[in-house]
Amino acid sequence: MEILVTGGLGFIGSHTSVELQLAGHKVVIIDDCSNASESVLDGITAVTGIQPEFVKMDLRDKGAVRAFFEKHPDLGGVIHFAAFKAVGESVEKPLDYYENNLGSLVYLLQELTARQKARFIFSSSCTVYGQADTLPITEDAPVKPAESPYGNTKQVGEEIIRDTCRVNPALQAISLRYFNPIGAHPSATIGELPLGVPQNLVPFITQTAAGLRKELSVFGDDYPTADGTCIRDYIHVVDLARAHVVAMERLLAGKNSANYEVFNVGTGTGSSVMEVIQSFERVTGKALNYKVVARRPGDVVAAYADTSKAREVLGWQAQSTLDEAMRSAWAWEQKIRGL
Ligand code: UD1
């Protein structure tokens, strides 16, 4: 089946495009290259031996979205990654985030609901849970008020899909709530390429070890956790990519039990910032330069997934360990820096 992957040159989108192709699907990528390089296409092609169709396009252009769908009447489904994702920037530029993240979603759904049958997978985030009252976090945990416009676009995005599914029985949709994706393809052919100073922990660690950053700031060690640092559920990006393939195949096979479903995608294991640093040091044999600084505003203390729904309903679970993910992240950093 031909699957449209929006944002398919980005970090998660590129790994998902690879896994879709390896599973035998035909991939067409839309990306505006605002936060990704066209050369990622060569990386995807190198891993799979198949060049996906690529359309450079801004999904805020409603006319272009319509024209694309007219040219692709046989699309089997859409996996929608294309979105802005910097939390801090979203506070500075809320309208850019609402326009891009929600405008493009609406235009895609308008096209899909005009079809006889449509399957749609949405990139959501565990950020919708905020600081959950109980851990691990199940899909039934309440959605908490968003801490940022970025987080709000994920919450509202889910609501838009739910409301649309309610009145469009032909639309089959799944939201995947990702925990913290890290790592890179084991071939070190594709990986994360953050623009400027990385905001996320793992690229900051690998860039520090590569000599691009002086030291990692650990944001707070006075949290109520065993070592005082925050806890997250770090999932290897290839595991996360495979969850998209499984979810899409569920929709293609008509095995979904409702026309809108939500799944957590994590490992189920929480790791502290210090444990991530230790894992990096263990697998690379390198000492990481870091210092503890003040807490980062907006950080939750601990978040990790209850993965039973994905395991029981999708038949999917993460395979890679934190060490494997850190090793792959470092191999990728070394490759792109020529180390
Ligand atoms: C962050 C976003 C979240 C978004 C997710 C997408 C914030 C507050 N949250 O999640 O909304 O969905 O990315 O990937 O930005 N850390 C350090 N030093 C650093 C960087 C991070 O100590 O230089 C710590 C953080 O305090 C946190 C952990 O590492 O405890 C993970 O941070 P990060 O990678 O930014 O992920 P989240 O905060 O979980």
Side-chain angles (χ1 to χ4, degrees):
M1 270 290 193
E2 184 174 51
I3 308 294
L4 167 63
V5 182
T6 76
L9 299 183
F11 176 41
I12 309 170
S14 59
H15 288 83
T16 301
S17 296
V18 162
E19 295 305 318
L20 282 166
Q21 288 190 320
L22 293 178
H25 300 283
K26 186 165 182 282
V27 171
V28 48
I29 290 174
I30 291 179
D31 205 299
D32 68 354
C33 296
S34 62
N35 192 20
S37 157
E38 223 170 303
S39 65
V40 174
L41 208 55
D42 300 331
I44 295 169
T45 309
V47 178
T48 62
I50 306 159
Q51 167 124 27
E53 182 184 341
F54 172 57
V55 181
K56 186 169 177 178
M57 198 178 110
D58 187 334
L59 291 165
R60 284 168 293 192
D61 182 343
K62 185 173 176 164
V65 174
R66 170 142 306 163
F68 174 89
F69 275 81
E70 278 166 6
K71 266 204 214 145
H72 292 80
D74 298 325
L75 275 184
V78 177
I79 306 183
H80 180 44
F81 295 102
F84 293 153
K85 61 170 187 179
V87 176
E89 183 185 60
S90 79
V91 177
E92 302 303 321
K93 301 176 180 173
L95 292 178
D96 288 2
Y97 273 67
Y98 290 119
E99 180 190 36
N100 189 41
N101 293 10
L102 299 180
S104 59
L105 173 64
V106 169
Y107 297 156
L108 287 170
L109 291 175
Q110 283 174 332
E111 295 306 320
L112 289 173
T113 51
R115 299 199 158 200
Q116 295 283 323
K117 183 116 194 144
R119 298 133 185 134
F120 186 75
I121 294 181
F122 179 61
S123 275
S124 191
S125 168
C126 68
T127 195
V128 302
Y129 299 119
Q131 179 58 69
D133 303 322
T134 46
L135 294 167
I137 304 172
T138 67
E139 288 82 353
D140 297 330
V143 168
K144 294 276 177 80
E147 289 275 353
S148 68
Y150 159 76
N152 208 26
T153 65
K154 294 301 174 191
Q155 296 193 5
V156 176
E158 285 195 13
E159 286 170 16
I160 289 171
I161 299 164
R162 200 182 50 229
D163 291 346
T164 307
C165 282
R166 195 174 291 138
V167 290
N168 289 279
L171 177 64
Q172 311 295 309
I174 290 178
S175 287
L176 297 179
R177 291 175 175 165
Y178 316 151
F179 283 69
N180 291 58
I182 61 165
H185 196 268
S187 63
T189 315
I190 52 171
E192 195 168 5
L193 283 168
L195 280 186
V197 181
Q199 306 296 311
N200 294 115
L201 178 62
V202 173
F204 206 105
I205 288 177
T206 54
Q207 287 198 7
T208 303
L212 274 78
R213 314 276 157 216
K214 192 167 129 289
E215 63 190 359
L216 169 77
S217 296
V218 173
F219 298 137
D221 68 352
D222 56 352
Y223 285 97
T225 62
D227 65 22
T229 62
C230 293
I231 291 174
R232 298 285 183 277
D233 184 339
Y234 297 93
I235 174 166
H236 196 303
V237 66
V238 174
D239 279 328
L240 175 56
R242 288 185 184 141
H244 291 80
V245 178
V246 170
M248 181 51 82
E249 287 177 348
R250 174 176 174 81
L251 297 184
L252 289 169
K255 286 190 178 150
N256 44 323
S257 50
N259 76 325
Y260 180 56
E261 298 177 313
V262 174
F263 295 94
N264 285 341
V265 188
T267 66
T269 302
S271 304
S272 72
V273 176
M274 288 313 300
E275 285 170 336
V276 175
I277 295 172
Q278 285 154 11
S279 166
F280 179 82
E281 293 184 330
R282 185 163 56 239
V283 298
T284 63
K286 288 174 83 77
L288 188 78
N289 207 10
Y290 68 86
K291 72 161 189 258
V292 176
V293 301
R295 293 180 177 194
R296 178 172 71 178
D299 267 338
V300 300
V301 180
Y304 52 95
D306 183 316
T307 56
S308 27
K309 187 176 176 193
R311 199 173 53 248
E312 287 158 21
V313 179
L314 288 179
W316 169 92
Q317 61 184 344
Q319 305 291 331
S320 294
T321 63
L322 177 61
D323 281 4
E324 284 163 346
M326 296 306 286
R327 195 178 290 117
S328 71
W330 178 234
W332 168 245
E333 189 74 53
Q334 286 176 294
K335 160 94 181 296
I336 55 176
R337 306 297 166 201
L339 298 176

